[in-house]
Amino acid sequence: MLFRQFFDVTSGTYTYLLASAAGREAVLIDPVKEQTEQYILAIQQLNLRLVKAIDTHTHADHITGLGDLRELTGCVTLMGEFTKAECVSAHVKDGDLLDIDGVKLKALYTPGHTNESFSFVLDPDTPRAVFTGDVLLIRGSGRTDFQNGDPGASWDSITQKLFALPDHTAVYPAHDYKGWTASSIGEEKRYNPRVANKTRDEYIKIMNSLNLPNPKMMDIAVPANLVCGRPA
């Protein structure tokens, strides 16, 4: 399988390009508007055809590249069924299977960071990786204090849905701020300081006590992302 990981320094965002092989159809997960030219260059150089672009949720710290990618490539843009972004081409429900020319992704509804967050499991019959958006980060988890976030729902999504995957399943989040590029379900069970050896009540207390400032771009990014990053 062909796999590429892109990084946007400004927002700490990871974007993932997947295809079964060079010369085949491809999918992008969590694209950043400012990096669109880079994605297009990689797609061209690998002789790919972008057919789907996915946002795991409505991001608050960057503007999505979904609209630009759809305009430039004709790809289908996807988000979960509970998004308020009516601009996307199609929606996925919990348990839906996407097959992009042999790359199989299963949609998992994993609310908590936002109430419309989805994760995507690669090769769900024998899971190889999961793209977790902001719900589960490497040694952390996405904040739950805006966009209808809910720390209890976050705990349930992490421990009941994501931690139900095999320990060897690679974890690829939408963000990292420490330089980590990947983790695994087993690692996060053992070493994630917010979850490991914690109870649900303890996790909720941790999340409710973070007192983080709003993302710098939140007032710009959220409205822009509700129109897929394109002018209304």
Side-chain angles (χ1 to χ4, degrees), residues 8 10 15 17 27 32 34 38 41 43 49-51 58 68 71 77 89 96-97 123 155 165 184 186 231:
D8 178 66
T10 302
T15 300
L17 175 67
V27 58
V32 177
E34 288 78 9
Q38 181 176 211
L41 179 62
I43 288 164
R49 184 166 74 90
L50 186 68
V51 296
T58 303
D68 288 350
E71 182 173 290
T77 54
S89 308
D96 281 356
L97 183 66
D123 292 341
W155 171 270
L165 296 168
S184 71

Side-chain angles (χ1 to χ4, degrees), residues 159-181:
T159 62
Q160 296 179 23
K161 287 204 165 182
L162 297 176
F163 283 2
L165 296 168
D167 281 1
H168 66 260
T169 307
V171 171
Y172 291 108
H175 293 284
D176 187 80
Y177 309 101
K178 304 179 297 293
W180 295 66
T181 57

Side-chain angles (χ1 to χ4, degrees), residues 173-192:
H175 293 284
D176 187 80
Y177 309 101
K178 304 179 297 293
W180 295 66
T181 57
S183 182
S184 71
I185 292 296
E187 285 179 56
E188 296 310 311
K189 284 180 180 178
R190 291 189 296 273
Y191 304 121
N192 191 308

Side-chain angles (χ1 to χ4, degrees), residues 116-185:
E116 33 91 86
S117 296
F118 269 73
S119 299
F120 293 86
V121 180
L122 177 63
D123 292 341
D125 289 340
T126 55
R128 296 170 56 183
V130 58
F131 301 91
T132 57
D134 285 12
V135 143
L136 178 63
L137 305 177
I138 299 171
R139 308 300 191 266
S141 59
R143 58 191 296 176
T144 59
D145 58 336
F146 59 80
Q147 286 188 272
N148 298 305
D150 182 315
S154 174
W155 171 270
D156 295 341
S157 293
I158 293 168
T159 62
Q160 296 179 23
K161 287 204 165 182
L162 297 176
F163 283 2
L165 296 168
D167 281 1
H168 66 260
T169 307
V171 171
Y172 291 108
H175 293 284
D176 187 80
Y177 309 101
K178 304 179 297 293
W180 295 66
T181 57
S183 182
S184 71
I185 292 296

